[in-house]
């Protein structure tokens, strides 16, 4: 395929409820979307998963926008790309900036699947037609509010509850949740808020039979995580530390964790996510799909990725209505009473993009290459 233009848009999308992690609170998303159009007028959509500030990772909305506009989009426009995984090759001169790259890369996969006339999940080699879902619940103003939220999510059918933890909102919170909900699948995500000096705290957490503890230590570490894993029973799950299949290989060999969370943006798109999934599957490491408070476009890409065979644990992919008053895709993503999402049947990402809604939310727009619209 030959990409003739890439349209970048930044949309502003207010969250229904604030989302708080150990690195801060988000109330409104600033999301960069890419609409990639080929010479035949077929289009694909991708979403940048960078946050509003460089706190989860070093990428952020404005940084990703500049990188996309000045470097990445010009590297792809006008190029003949053999298949969607070749998009990565076209952008290879740029180091890092995986979330920015994934914006275009995932859009090219949507486009390629549409050209092939098949749903993206099938085009990627997915095998699961129904994917298990969990929820990620941020830090709340009180334990009572947290308990109430968990009740609501369990009633909706979600298969696993993840709660965000940070120093001061950890042991006692997990204890209260465990007391109230005896045998649910429960896990904690620290977003790098601790150090090896906190090992005794994690040893105490072992009592609560958590499915896993996600990214307890530094965002760029796999060495200390291995030391921690040796001293605790709860499986460590890596999120921030894994950017590639090579990172996954090294972490597995070091014993830095027993589970990996795969995020499309963090690893740079579908091709790299497939490589991470393969390395993990071949080494008996379960993976699950992480979330980045995505709008419908990113959510649809996550659903497609999570149909790959290695995604055996419930991921952070949940219904659009948990985040948005109105999503930017139609239909909105919904979850069955069994706590699953059914893979869509339409070609590409499998949902229609609501251009009118996107237009309303657009804060800026830039077209690189020849516009066909
Ligand atoms: O660490 O998984 C994370 C959201 C923003 C940044 C980092 C993380 C998260 C989540 C939200 O946990 C998952 C979701 O999209 O529901
Ligand atoms: Mg995480």
């Amino acid at each position: 395929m030959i990409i003739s233009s890439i349209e970048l848009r930044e949309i502003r999308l207010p969250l229904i409820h604030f989302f708080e992690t150990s690195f801060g609170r988000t109330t409104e998303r600033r999301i960069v979307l890419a609409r990639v159009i080929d010479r035949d007028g077929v289009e694909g959509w991708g979403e940048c998963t960078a946050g509003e500030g460089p706190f989860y990772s070093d990428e952020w909305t404005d940084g990703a926008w500049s990188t996309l506009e000045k470097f990445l989009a010009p590297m792809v426009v006008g190029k003949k790309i053999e298949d969607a995984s070749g998009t990565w090759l076209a952008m290879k001169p740029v180091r890092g900036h995986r979330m920015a790259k994934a914006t275009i890369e995932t859009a090219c996969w949507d486009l390629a699947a549409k050209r092939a006339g098949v749903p993206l999940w099938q085009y990627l080699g997915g095998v699961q037609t129904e994917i298990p879902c969990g929820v990620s619940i941020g830090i709340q103003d009180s334990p009572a509010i947290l308990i109430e939220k968990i009740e609501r999510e369990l009633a909706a059918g979600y298969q696993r509850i993840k709660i965000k933890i940070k120093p001061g909102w950890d042991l006692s919170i997990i204890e209260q949740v465990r007391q109230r909900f005896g045998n649910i699948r429960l896990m904690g995500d620290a977003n790098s808020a601790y150090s090896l000096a906190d090992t005794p705290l994690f040893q105490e957490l072992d009592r609560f039979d958590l499915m896993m503890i996600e990214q307890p230590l530094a965002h760029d570490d796999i060495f200390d995580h291995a030391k921690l894993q040796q001293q605790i029973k709860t499986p460590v799950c890596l999120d921030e530390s894994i950017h590639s299949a090579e990172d996954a290989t090294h972490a597995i060999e070091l014993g830095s964790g027993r589970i990996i969370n795969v995020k499309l943006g963090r690893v740079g798109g579908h091709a790299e996510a497939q490589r991470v999934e393969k390395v993990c599957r071949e080494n008996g490491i379960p993976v699950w799909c992480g979330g980045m408070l995505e709008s419908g476009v990113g959510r649809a890409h996550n659903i497609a990725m999570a149909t790959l065979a290695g995604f055996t644990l419930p991921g952070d992919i949940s219904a659009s209505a948990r985040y948005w008053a109105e999503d930017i895709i139609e239909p909105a993503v919904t979850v069955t009473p069994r706590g699953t999402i059914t893979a869509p049947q339409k070609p590409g990402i499998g949902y229609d993009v609501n251009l009118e809604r996107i237009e309303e939310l657009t804060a800026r727009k830039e077209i690189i290459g020849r516009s066909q619209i």
Side-chain angles (χ1 to χ4, degrees):
M1 56 195 180
I2 297 179
I3 306 302
S4 58
S5 69
I6 298 180
E7 178 184 294
L8 299 175
R9 283 174 188 258
E10 180 193 324
I11 58 164
R12 307 262 164 110
L13 200 53
L15 285 159
I16 291 179
H17 303 288
F18 67 82
F19 190 84
E20 186 172 325
T21 65
S22 61
F23 54 78
R25 190 178 273 200
T26 310
T27 52
E28 185 188 57
R29 295 296 332 279
R30 292 178 57 207
I31 297 172
V32 180
L33 298 173
R35 179 192 201 178
V36 171
I37 305 176
D38 76 2
R39 235 168 38 179
D40 302 321
V42 184
E43 67 177 49
W45 285 82
E47 170 170 343
C48 184
T49 63
E52 289 65 43
F55 308 124
Y56 163 83
S57 90
D58 43 17
E59 293 189 80
W60 64 296
T61 309
D62 288 346
W65 177 278
S66 295
T67 310
L68 279 160
E69 183 191 13
K70 291 194 172 64
F71 298 103
L72 300 174
M75 283 172 181
V76 173
V77 166
K79 292 271 163 62
K80 184 167 192 327
I81 289 169
E82 288 307 330
D83 61 17
S85 55
T87 320
W88 183 258
L89 221 57
M91 299 185 288
K92 203 164 176 242
V94 171
R95 291 185 182 170
H97 297 277
R98 286 175 185 264
M99 291 178 178
K101 287 180 176 177
T103 315
I104 293 180
E105 202 259 14
T106 54
C108 288
W109 278 95
D110 177 29
L111 195 163
K114 280 178 180 144
R115 285 188 68 98
V118 296
L120 176 59
W121 65 270
Q122 273 175 14
Y123 193 71
L124 289 166
V127 293
Q128 313 186 61
T129 54
E130 208 177 324
I131 56 168
C133 302
V135 288
S136 173
I137 305 182
I139 292 160
Q140 304 298 321
D141 288 335
S142 74
I145 298 175
L146 176 65
I147 300 265
E148 191 190 307
K149 291 211 164 192
I150 296 174
E151 267 166 7
R152 196 177 322 145
E153 304 298 5
L154 291 170
Y158 287 104
Q159 299 185 14
R160 177 226 67 185
I161 302 290
K162 155 168 145 185
I163 56 184
K164 293 288 186 179
I165 60 166
K166 68 172 183 181
W169 182 272
D170 44 31
L171 196 62
S172 127
I173 297 296
I174 300 264
E175 186 168 22
Q176 291 174 60
V177 170
R178 214 13 135 203
Q179 250 165 27
R180 172 66 183 77
F181 307 99
N183 51 13
I184 60 166
R185 293 213 266 178
L186 182 65
M187 61 174 286
D189 184 0
N191 287 110
S192 302
Y194 299 89
S195 76
L196 257 192
D198 298 304
T199 303
L201 171 86
F202 294 107
Q203 287 169 331
E204 277 201 68
L205 279 178
D206 272 343
R207 279 190 282 135
F208 299 109
D209 194 27
L210 300 180
M211 282 179 88
M212 68 194 91
I213 178 86
E214 186 178 345
Q215 197 73 29
L217 309 181
H219 70 95
D220 52 359
D221 169 81
I222 55 171
F223 189 79
D224 283 354
H225 278 95
K227 289 194 167 173
L228 177 66
Q229 182 67 91
Q230 280 161 21
Q231 300 176 74
I232 63 174
K233 291 199 213 74
T234 307
V236 168
C237 168
L238 295 171
D239 172 353
E240 282 90 327
S241 299
I242 306 298
H243 300 98
S244 63
E246 286 71 27
D247 285 353
T249 304
H250 300 157
I252 293 167
E253 197 165 323
L254 267 177
S256 317
R258 301 196 190 119
I259 297 170
I260 288 178
N261 157 339
V262 185
K263 287 182 181 166
L264 264 177
R266 199 191 65 225
V267 303
H270 283 296
E272 195 59 30
Q274 287 173 321
R275 294 181 70 229
V276 175
E277 182 265 354
K278 184 166 185 281
V279 161
C280 291
R281 185 164 31 81
E282 289 173 353
N283 284 280
I285 298 286
V287 301
W288 53 277
C289 174
M292 290 294 288
L293 312 177
E294 288 92 345
S295 77
V297 170
R299 213 161 279 277
H301 278 288
N302 285 345
I303 293 167
M305 173 181 80
T307 65
L308 298 176
F311 286 78
T312 53
L313 297 173
D316 282 346
I317 323 175
S318 50
S320 303
R322 293 187 62 248
Y323 304 83
W324 322 117
E326 186 189 347
D327 206 334
I328 62 165
I329 55 165
E330 274 172 358
V333 174
T334 54
V335 168
T336 68
R338 297 182 294 285
T340 61
I341 291 173
T342 311
Q345 288 308 316
K346 283 193 197 170
I349 56 173
Y351 296 83
D352 292 328
V353 168
N354 182 346
L355 249 187
E356 219 169 283
R357 170 88 175 130
I358 290 176
E359 197 65 60
E360 271 168 27
L361 301 167
T362 297
R364 52 175 159 169
K365 176 175 147 179
E366 189 69 45
I367 296 171
I368 295 95
R370 185 165 47 86
S371 168
Q372 296 200 338
I373 322 147

